[in-house]
Amino acid sequence: MKGACDPTIEPQSKFDFRLVRCRTDNYAVLMHDPESGATAVVDTPEFGPIDETLRQEGWKLTHILNTHHHHDHVDANEALKEKYGATVIGPEKNRGQIPGLDQGVKDGDKISFGGEVIDVIAVPGHTLGHVAYYLCNAKVVFTGDTLFSLGCGRMFEGDAEMMWHSLDMLRHLPEDTLMYCGHEYTLNNGEFALTVEPGNEALQKRVEEVRELLRQRKPTIPVSIGLEKRTNPFLRPESPEIREKVNMKGVENWRVFGALRALKDQF
Ligand code: ZN
Ligand code: FE
């Protein structure tokens, strides 16, 4: 994952991306390589909108990439696989819970797609098997329910130390990497973020922009890792203002993260 990529390389536009709104607040992301015709969907919350977007674009689905086994991320696996014959790729740890799984993956695995490499990064915490998919040349990362814009997923299976380690890895990706996540939760996350770091001007500005995007019925993602590092409290346990807020000074980052996550659970 690290070192395989030239950081000076310009983000490649060789792939086309389509964000597909599903269910109430889920996103699926389509990634298409015009050269080879390869087309992947990251998570399959709902057959209809994904199939409709593929039909409109004239794309044939070749890969299904699941970030984790929750039903709002795998529900349409079998219907899409049946219609398109796509290969289903997802965390090996959850083999029994991912419908139609063909290729189980784990941390450090590499998947080839459209002449590029997709790096599999284990990001346990929301679930123990959760993975992120990272394309260093395309400068894009799919974070599922681990990292959201201005927030992070609930810890259903892991603990704070584990989840923090996962988020810490994601925040060390190059700052111009674009992050796609599994849900449109950005405004609610932003409202919480402002309660713990009200003095963060980058955060204030981002929340204003998010409100405007949503007024225009536009998605608030993708967003760069760099902007998330400046605005997302769950990536900012070093912030003096946040540490003051949770009354934790001189402790490890994961403990501050854990306190923030507990506050958000009550928000
Ligand atoms: Zn989930
Ligand atoms: Fe989800």
Side-chain angles (χ1 to χ4, degrees):
M1 163 191 148
K2 289 156 202 115
C5 219
D6 178 355
T8 62
I9 201 168
E10 283 298 305
Q12 290 191 2
S13 52
K14 66 176 275 191
F15 296 150
D16 296 323
F17 295 89
R18 295 287 180 278
L19 204 48
V20 184
R21 188 74 180 249
C22 298
R23 306 166 77 103
T24 51
D25 51 37
N26 277 88
Y27 285 122
V29 190
L30 289 170
M31 175 168 66
H32 174 73
D33 173 29
E35 217 173 285
S36 65
T39 304
V41 66
V42 181
D43 288 337
T44 64
E46 192 179 3
F47 177 81
I50 296 169
D51 183 52
E52 177 60 18
T53 307
L54 288 165
R55 200 190 56 76
Q56 280 171 7
E57 301 291 348
W59 297 347
K60 186 183 168 295
L61 193 67
T62 54
H63 297 70
I64 293 171
L65 302 171
N66 294 126
T67 60
H68 65 297
H69 69 274
H70 285 159
H71 71 96
D72 62 318
H73 298 259
V74 302
D75 258 8
N77 274 13
E78 278 174 331
L80 288 166
K81 182 177 174 174
E82 192 180 337
K83 175 159 181 183
Y84 294 96
T87 302
V88 180
I89 299 162
E92 175 63 31
K93 274 192 179 142
N94 297 102
R95 174 165 286 278
Q97 296 146 294
I98 297 180
L101 185 68
D102 295 302
Q103 188 185 341
V105 290
K106 59 179 191 319
D107 189 53
D109 283 356
K110 293 176 186 304
I111 303 158
S112 69
F113 175 83
E116 291 291 333
V117 170
I118 302 176
D119 283 300
V120 178
I121 308 173
V123 285
H126 177 71
T127 67
L128 292 178
H130 201 306
V131 296
Y133 296 103
Y134 172 54
L135 288 88
C136 65
N137 286 327
K139 299 202 174 186
V140 58
V141 64
F142 301 99
T143 60
D145 286 359
T146 298
L147 176 63
F148 294 130
S149 182
L150 302 181
C152 72
R154 284 177 188 264
M155 297 179 292
F156 286 119
E157 297 179 9
D159 60 20
E161 195 168 4
M162 178 189 278
M163 184 81 171
W164 166 249
H165 181 72
S166 296
L167 293 172
D168 191 35
M169 262 196 309
L170 293 173
R171 78 173 177 159
H172 281 91
L173 294 176
E175 295 216 339
D176 56 356
T177 304
L178 286 180
M179 180 269 274
Y180 285 91
C181 56
H183 290 269
E184 181 56 72
Y185 289 161
T186 314
L187 182 56
N188 174 272
N189 288 338
E191 284 168 349
F192 170 76
L194 284 170
T195 68
V196 293
E197 203 177 18
N200 182 338
E201 286 177 17
L203 171 62
Q204 296 163 11
K205 183 162 169 271
R206 168 74 172 144
V207 172
E208 271 320 297
E209 285 165 2
V210 164
R211 287 187 201 283
E212 186 52 35
L213 286 167
L214 294 174
R215 259 195 294 272
Q216 297 173 31
R217 298 182 177 279
K218 289 181 182 160
T220 63
I221 61 165
V223 56
S224 73
I225 290 289
L227 184 55
E228 284 299 307
K229 280 164 69 174
R230 293 191 292 280
T231 56
N232 186 332
F234 295 99
L235 300 185
R236 299 174 53 73
E238 293 95 345
S239 154
E241 190 178 8
I242 289 176
R243 287 189 165 231
E244 183 87 38
K245 191 79 190 175
V246 296
N247 201 15
M248 287 178 124
K249 287 171 201 164
V251 300
E252 300 98 319
N253 283 336
W254 72 263
R255 293 185 194 276
V256 177
F257 164 75
L260 280 180
R261 186 57 258 180
L263 278 179
K264 178 66 164 69
D265 287 345
Q266 310 297 321
F267 183 70

